[in-house]
């Protein structure tokens, strides 16, 4: 004879007593996390996504008491790491971080190893950062107009680095070239951090990247920003003009970082994660972190994040149509 109450009997008793009783499955879901959570960063260390995600992982670890750790899986414009997350168990213990580049993927690849719209669920976007054009602090280019003037004199002389073909910095730099009427030479690397290292060693001339990944070297006197995206200057660097202030008819791109979960991840888990992210973004040290990087510390929830992704994907399609980039 089974002396243990069945799920049905428990629910029946709850109904008779007018109680809201959670099923064992629901209890397990709302108890999340009960073990370490892996956040895949589909790029190398040192780039904007890596820097921001590591800070968020630190906050989530502090708030939940469970370890949130970053695992870098770079390659193929972020699709290797994203594919790993898309095929992971939808239990909330594998997440993937990315930035605006995620909305570029349909314009980069003829066929993707996963469906960006169906296989991963957007959880939340946070830390919205302008992008800056950086050169070595000892560069001969003192202003953006200096750089563009030389680029106009000789096509493809000025080299720029990115974390790979089809990334946001790649398309953003191409968009700048279109707006300014110049041709710049693209030098792809395995990650934004490697591109920054190339500027530091004077291997390349410039890089457009999120200020979250550049600001440390700018403040350290190793890099100099010639312009930033957006409609206002950075409070941290009030002497750096916006792209439009330099005379270029291009406002630039605002880069955001976000988290996705595998399709089928319980709603209770994603809701808890959104709540924890909101708490993190409201904390004083996260605000200080974002502001120090010239970024805006705010959160966009799942539904709004989904709409933002669609709008961003549509906008990048127009840029892709006006570049020489061929789908891979």
């Amino acid at each position: 004879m089974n002396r243990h109450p069945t799920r049905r009997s428990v629910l029946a008793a709850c109904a008779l007593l007018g109680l809201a009783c959670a099923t064992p499955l629901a209890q397990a879901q709302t108890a999340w996390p009960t073990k370490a959570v892996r956040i895949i960063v589909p790029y190398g260390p040192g780039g904007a996504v890596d820097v921001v995600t590591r800070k968020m992982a630190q906050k989530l670890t502090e708030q939940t008491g469970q370890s949130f750790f970053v695992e870098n899986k770079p390659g193929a414009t972020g699709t290797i790491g994203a594919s790993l997350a898309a095929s992971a168990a939808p239990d909330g213990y594998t997440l993937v971080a990315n930035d605006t580049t995620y909305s570029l993927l349909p314009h980069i690849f003829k066929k993707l190893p996963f469906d960006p719209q169906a296989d991963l669920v957007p959880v939340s976007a946070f830390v919205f950062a302008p992008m800056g054009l950086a050169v070595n602090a000892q560069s001969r280019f003192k202003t953006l107009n200096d750089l563009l003037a030389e680029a106009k004199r000789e096509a493809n002389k000025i080299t720029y680095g990115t974390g790979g073909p089809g990334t946001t910095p790649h398309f953003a730099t191409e968009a700048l070239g279109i707006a300014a009427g110049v041709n710049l030479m693209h030098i792809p690397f395995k990650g934004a951090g490697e591109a920054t290292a190339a500027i530091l060693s004077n291997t390349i001339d410039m890089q457009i990247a999120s200020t979250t990944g550049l600001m440390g070297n700018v403040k350290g006197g190793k890099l100099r920003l010639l312009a930033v995206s957006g409609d206002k200057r950075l409070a941290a660097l009030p002497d750096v003009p916006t792209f439009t202030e330099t005379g270029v008819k291009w406002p630039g791109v605002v880069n955001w970082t976000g988290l996705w979960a595998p399709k089928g991840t319980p709603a209770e888990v994603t809701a808890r994660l959104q709540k924890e992210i909101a708490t993190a973004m409201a904390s004083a040290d996260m605000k200080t972190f974002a502001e120090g990087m010239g970024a805006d510390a705010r959160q966009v929830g799942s539904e709004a994040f989904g709409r933002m992704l669609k709008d961003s994907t549509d906008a990048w399609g127009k840029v892709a149509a006006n570049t020489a980039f061929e789908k891979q």
Side-chain angles (χ1 to χ4, degrees), residues 307-328:
R307 291 193 297 271
M308 189 176 74
L309 280 169
K310 183 181 184 306
D311 292 344
S312 181
T313 301
D314 292 343
W316 281 123
K318 297 176 182 178
V319 176
N322 288 284
T323 67
F325 182 83
E326 294 185 6
K327 285 188 176 183
Q328 300 174 29

Side-chain angles (χ1 to χ4, degrees), residues 139-154:
S139 171
R140 64 188 182 280
F141 304 120
K142 305 304 179 185
T143 68
L144 177 60
N145 286 325
D146 291 340
L147 186 150
L148 294 178
E150 185 167 317
K152 288 179 180 178
R153 288 194 296 268
E154 186 174 347

Side-chain angles (χ1 to χ4, degrees), residues 14-161:
C14 288
L16 287 172
L17 295 173
L19 300 176
C21 296
T23 66
L25 177 60
Q27 289 173 337
Q29 291 171 352
T30 55
W32 178 93
T34 59
K35 61 180 182 180
V37 178
R38 174 178 65 157
I39 304 178
I40 296 173
V41 169
Y43 308 104
V49 178
D50 184 67
V51 171
V52 173
T53 304
R54 288 181 185 278
K55 181 62 177 179
M56 179 56 74
Q58 174 193 334
K59 294 299 298 178
L60 295 176
T61 297
E62 293 172 359
Q63 291 169 196
T64 65
Q66 293 291 342
S67 173
F68 283 71
F69 66 96
V70 169
E71 185 175 305
N72 296 93
K73 292 290 184 180
T77 318
T79 59
I80 291 176
S83 296
L84 288 173
S87 61
D91 54 10
Y93 292 98
T94 296
L95 307 171
V96 63
N98 212 317
D99 62 359
T100 315
T101 298
Y102 190 86
S103 58
L104 273 166
L105 296 181
H107 309 300
I108 299 170
F109 297 97
K110 296 176 182 177
K111 185 177 181 180
L112 287 165
F114 69 101
D115 187 335
Q117 300 296 324
D119 295 342
L120 290 169
V121 178
V123 176
S124 182
F126 47 87
V127 183
F128 290 71
M131 300 188 79
L133 190 155
V135 296
N136 188 289
Q138 306 304 316
S139 171
R140 64 188 182 280
F141 304 120
K142 305 304 179 185
T143 68
L144 177 60
N145 286 325
D146 291 340
L147 186 150
L148 294 178
E150 185 167 317
K152 288 179 180 178
R153 288 194 296 268
E154 186 174 347
N156 294 319
K157 180 181 179 181
I158 306 301
T159 56
Y160 73 93

